[in-house]
Amino acid sequence: MSSVFEQPVTLHRPRPADAALALRWSVDAVERLFDLPFPELMHQAQTVHRENFDPSRVEFATLLSVKTGGCPEDCNYCPQAARFDTGVEATKLMEPDEVRVAAQRAKDAGATRFCMGAAWRAPKDRDIEKVAELVRTVKALGLETCATLGMLEDGHAQTLQSAGLDYYNHNLDSAPDFYGDIITTRDYQDRLDTLQRVRSAGVKVCCGGIVGMGETRRQRAGLVAELANLTPYPESVPINNLVKVEGTPLASQADLDPFEFVRTIAVARITMPTARVRLSAGRQQMGDGVQALCFLAGANSIFYGDKLLTTGNPDTDADVALLQRLGMTRAAPEVQP
Ligand code: SAM
Ligand code: DTB
Ligand code: SF4
């Protein structure tokens, strides 16, 4: 990390005009952004943010775990992996009526986007048919729809798209050179293949990662470079701060410096100017001040509701109060229901 007395680094790299024409970001160039003095980085991020969004508006998305736990994968951070003793009980896929009630509640509380998560390695054909029904159910309530179900086969994304799926969430999670330390049961290319299937089916891509897993700054830069170099880059980029869950291999991981988390948000904003940058897992542990810095750094979406998938999230009253104190408001939906 550079000293506080060092001169600011001037960036000579032109910013891509739009996602489809985006130039490739080298890991070095992204790392140089991370290395900027904090005020300079925040200024650049805010400038990009304001060119593309109203900086006072934040999207509210509610998560629902429609199929919890019992997952065969070995993602070291995840409370839903069957091999870790985390106390999470495995459930079957929820029925449309149950999901309708949860989605209506989320809408009534002010969410505009509803994300359904399932702890699968990869859904089977019959799972996709059932999730398509859930998507139709949620879409009929006038909410934007999102699903995260694991790896997709040919045709799956198309079926979900036909049912009204707006976004598919599938994260790269980390830089390629750190990935093997975290997950061994599927490889990086599997993830890229699923993202390509989602893109080809005309479903918007929601793809991000987790920081605070013991990676270096360069590896955080490596993750952001991978995301920014997807062609086009994702419409939606969740940046998760590791939620340390008892029983997972990462339970005692040292905390990431909160300013480093804010820097990650800022660098995502600068490298993916028109994406929704989502301040995702880890808000409950973060405090209001750090969250406010994340909004200044260009985050403009949060998970809204007192639960993520299996872990806690600030309750809706606390989020409304925080935004009120900041004079910020909820963003209108991007997709016409
Ligand atoms: N099973 C599917 C998959 O892995 O693609 C979908 C659900 S999975 C829980 C969705 C994402 O949640 C993961 O890719 C990871 O980025 C994030 N996640 C899971 N556990 C987390 C934790 N403890 N802290 C932060 N993010 C987490
Ligand atoms: C994402 O990137 N973060 C969300 C969503 N996509 C599905 C999930 C966070 C999960 C945090 C751990 C849990 O609650 O189980
Ligand atoms: Fe399974 Fe997804 Fe958790 Fe990995 S992140 S263990 S694939 S639920």
Side-chain angles (χ1 to χ4, degrees):
M1 195 185 295
S2 47
S3 133
V4 289
F5 300 108
E6 217 164 287
Q7 292 297 307
V9 179
T10 310
L11 269 185
H12 297 292
R13 193 187 173 290
R15 197 162 49 78
D18 69 42
L21 299 174
L23 303 173
R24 283 190 68 79
W25 283 89
S26 68
V27 179
D28 282 343
V30 177
E31 195 180 18
R32 278 200 295 279
L33 289 175
F34 269 96
D35 288 344
L36 285 170
F38 193 74
E40 176 60 27
L41 175 60
M42 292 294 275
H43 177 70
Q44 290 195 20
Q46 286 186 21
T47 305
V48 174
H49 192 40
R50 281 162 182 274
E51 281 167 6
N52 293 286
F53 291 98
D54 176 345
S56 303
R57 289 182 171 263
V58 173
E59 176 195 63
F60 286 5
T62 293
L63 262 178
L64 177 68
S65 181
V66 294
K67 191 269 164 208
T68 306
C71 183
E73 300 292 272
D74 71 350
C75 312
N76 268 349
Y77 49 76
C78 187
Q80 303 198 68
R83 67 190 71 205
F84 309 140
D85 187 9
T86 61
V88 169
E89 281 185 28
T91 66
K92 289 201 293 206
L93 183 63
M94 286 171 75
E95 295 296 329
D97 284 347
E98 299 173 87
V99 173
R100 183 183 298 107
V101 170
Q104 185 64 54
R105 200 179 302 132
K107 186 178 180 186
D108 293 345
T112 58
R113 182 157 151 187
F114 193 73
C115 310
M116 292 171 275
W120 284 316
R121 168 184 164 77
K124 301 182 176 64
D125 291 352
R126 65 172 184 276
D127 298 325
I128 288 292
E129 293 301 332
K130 287 183 185 164
V131 174
E133 188 53 34
L134 301 183
V135 170
R136 277 189 283 272
T137 303
V138 172
K139 192 77 180 165
L141 299 177
L143 285 157
E144 291 178 321
T145 55
C146 177
T148 180
L149 316 170
M151 294 183 287
L152 299 183
E153 296 294 338
D154 282 342
H156 286 174
Q158 192 57 55
T159 302
L160 295 170
Q161 193 274 340
S162 304
L165 188 71
D166 297 310
Y167 293 84
Y168 192 80
N169 168 240
H170 196 64
N171 291 338
L172 291 178
D173 274 350
S174 75
D177 62 344
F178 186 64
Y179 184 86
D181 290 16
I182 302 296
I183 300 156
T184 67
T185 47
R186 71 173 75 160
D187 62 30
Y188 217 75
Q189 189 59 47
D190 292 329
R191 291 182 184 258
L192 294 169
D193 292 347
T194 288
L195 292 169
Q196 191 50 51
R197 290 186 175 112
V198 171
R199 186 54 84 203
S200 304
V203 175
K204 294 188 174 65
V205 170
C206 174
C207 181
I210 313 180
V211 295
M213 298 193 292
E215 74 286 343
T216 61
R217 173 178 276 187
R218 185 163 179 84
Q219 287 165 331
R220 283 186 283 282
L223 165 65
V224 174
E226 283 290 329
L227 295 168
N229 289 335
L230 293 172
T231 314
Y233 59 74
E235 282 82 359
S236 179
V237 180
I239 305 293
N240 296 279
N241 202 7
L242 175 69
V243 179
K244 295 177 232 176
V245 179
E246 208 53 55
T248 63
L250 293 180
S252 343
Q253 183 59 47
D255 281 342
L256 181 70
D257 176 355
F259 296 131
E260 192 65 17
F261 184 81
V262 179
R263 281 179 186 273
T264 310
I265 296 273
V267 172
R269 165 53 63 221
I270 293 166
T271 55
M272 293 170 274
T274 61
R276 233 171 231 290
V277 176
R278 314 183 73 191
L279 168 53
S280 299
R283 284 199 304 121
Q284 206 174 33
Q285 294 75 17
M286 213 170 268
D288 291 348
V290 176
Q291 290 187 64
L293 281 176
C294 289
F295 296 139
L296 293 180
N300 58 357
S301 174
I302 55 172
F303 285 121
Y304 180 68
D306 60 6
K307 208 167 170 198
L308 291 165
L309 292 172
T310 65
T311 65
N313 195 44
D315 64 38
T316 51
D317 289 349
D319 281 340
V320 169
L322 176 61
L323 289 190
Q324 250 160 11
R325 284 161 67 206
L326 298 172
M328 295 175 70
T329 51
R330 189 190 67 174
E334 275 157 25
V335 177
Q336 286 309 310

